[in-house]
Amino acid sequence: DLEALHNAVDRLSNASSITLCGLGASASVAQDAQHKLLRFPVPVMAHTDIINQRMAATGLREGDCLVCISYTGRTTAMIELAALAASGGASVLGITAPHSPLAQECDLVLGVDAGEDTELHTPMSSRIAQLVIIDILATSMALARGEGFAEHLRRVKDNLASTRRDKR
């Protein structure tokens, strides 16, 4: 849904802070999203432990954005987390199954339907689909900021150069 994607980009671009949460196979997607979104001048943190997730969600307020990543959207802890953040006034974005219980707790959903039976198999195609959505969001956020943002990205890259021996 292109409209949902545009709304998600706007919401993330204007957030005071971004908190990313995922459990199981979705935890690595949350960490990847943190890696990409750290390039933007907004506080961003990924949490993959439910205790830390609940503590972080408790402190979210209006202007903050919680991103809940769950392929099935049926994990009780993630559903409760979305409701907790919403009760504090935070915006809740779900990257999840479109009509799942988690989707019902989110104000905005980017639907993932990879047709994968995660009851039997380790999530693969669903995780790849989630990663693609994260890449699209990060790219769209960068493009929305215009050409001036390229200078910021260049500074980030330059500041990382000293971490490598070969500075090509």
Side-chain angles (χ1 to χ4, degrees), residues 99-117:
H99 303 289
S100 65
L102 174 59
Q104 294 172 13
E105 291 294 334
C106 298
D107 10 63
L108 184 59
V109 175
L110 295 177
V112 178
D113 190 4
E116 183 173 49
D117 181 2

Side-chain angles (χ1 to χ4, degrees), residues 82-127:
L84 180 61
S87 73
S91 171
V92 182
L93 167 61
I95 299 176
T96 190
H99 303 289
S100 65
L102 174 59
Q104 294 172 13
E105 291 294 334
C106 298
D107 10 63
L108 184 59
V109 175
L110 295 177
V112 178
D113 190 4
E116 183 173 49
D117 181 2
T118 57
E119 300 298 325
L120 188 57
H121 305 288
T122 299
M124 285 187 280
S125 59
S126 59
R127 188 171 43 81

Side-chain angles (χ1 to χ4, degrees), residues 111 157 167:
K157 195 76 163 171
K167 295 181 183 164

Side-chain angles (χ1 to χ4, degrees), residues 9-155:
V9 169
D10 287 343
R11 197 162 298 181
L12 292 170
S13 295
N14 295 309
S16 302
S17 73
I18 301 170
T19 302
L20 304 146
C21 294
L23 296 168
S26 296
S28 62
V29 177
Q31 290 172 326
D32 182 74
Q34 174 186 271
H35 179 74
K36 288 179 175 67
L37 297 180
L38 279 172
R39 290 164 174 78
F40 295 87
V42 60
V44 59
M45 184 70 185
H47 296 281
T48 60
D49 172 273
I50 189 56
I51 300 300
N52 290 344
Q53 290 172 348
R54 289 182 74 93
M55 287 190 293
T58 299
L60 297 178
R61 299 288 173 255
E62 188 174 335
D64 297 322
C65 184
L66 173 68
V67 180
C68 293
I69 305 166
S70 171
Y71 174 61
T72 66
R74 296 188 324 250
T75 306
T76 302
M78 196 60 60
I79 298 163
E80 291 173 350
L81 188 67
L84 180 61
S87 73
S91 171
V92 182
L93 167 61
I95 299 176
T96 190
H99 303 289
S100 65
L102 174 59
Q104 294 172 13
E105 291 294 334
C106 298
D107 10 63
L108 184 59
V109 175
L110 295 177
V112 178
D113 190 4
E116 183 173 49
D117 181 2
T118 57
E119 300 298 325
L120 188 57
H121 305 288
T122 299
M124 285 187 280
S125 59
S126 59
R127 188 171 43 81
I128 299 301
Q130 292 170 335
L131 288 167
V132 168
I133 289 173
I134 296 300
D135 285 346
I136 291 169
L137 286 171
T139 301
S140 298
M141 288 171 66
L143 291 172
R145 289 181 181 255
E147 280 191 40
F149 189 62
E151 179 56 33
H152 172 76
L153 293 175
R154 196 172 357 276
R155 281 196 327 273

